[in-house]
Amino acid sequence: MKKFFLLRNHALDTSTSPEEISQYRTKVISEMEKMGATDQEIQLLRTETILNSIRNKRKPEDVAWAILQ
């Protein structure tokens, strides 16, 4: 089921390149580490979250904060 939704998300958003996803993930992880995130909390970051955040033009700082709440 998870693969179905991953494929569906990628099919809907073809404008996001793998490099852009990787850069955004790095920025969010950096912000999470600044906020004192543990490894378990960093593992909560999913590709779907990144795609939705990029699509909705969210700042990495805001995404990091939301995950840690």
Side-chain angles (χ1 to χ4, degrees):
M1 193 66 155
K2 182 177 177 180
K3 288 182 182 180
F4 169 78
F5 286 110
L6 281 174
L7 291 173
R8 186 170 155 229
N9 277 346
H10 289 293
L12 292 175
D13 187 13
T14 58
S15 64
T16 307
S17 69
E19 293 83 19
E20 187 177 3
I21 293 169
S22 177
Q23 289 173 352
Y24 195 88
R25 178 185 299 274
T26 302
K27 290 177 186 176
V28 173
I29 290 174
S30 173
E31 291 299 324
M32 290 176 76
E33 288 172 345
K34 288 180 187 176
M35 295 177 192
T38 64
D39 288 337
Q40 288 178 330
E41 291 169 329
I42 291 173
Q43 290 176 0
L44 295 174
L45 183 60
R46 302 280 182 235
T47 302
E48 295 86 359
T49 305
I50 293 171
L51 287 172
N52 286 332
S53 300
I54 292 171
R55 188 178 308 127
N56 293 320
K57 300 184 184 343
R58 303 278 186 233
K59 291 190 276 184
E61 301 87 17
D62 295 342
V63 175
W65 180 84
I67 290 172
L68 295 176
Q69 290 304 307

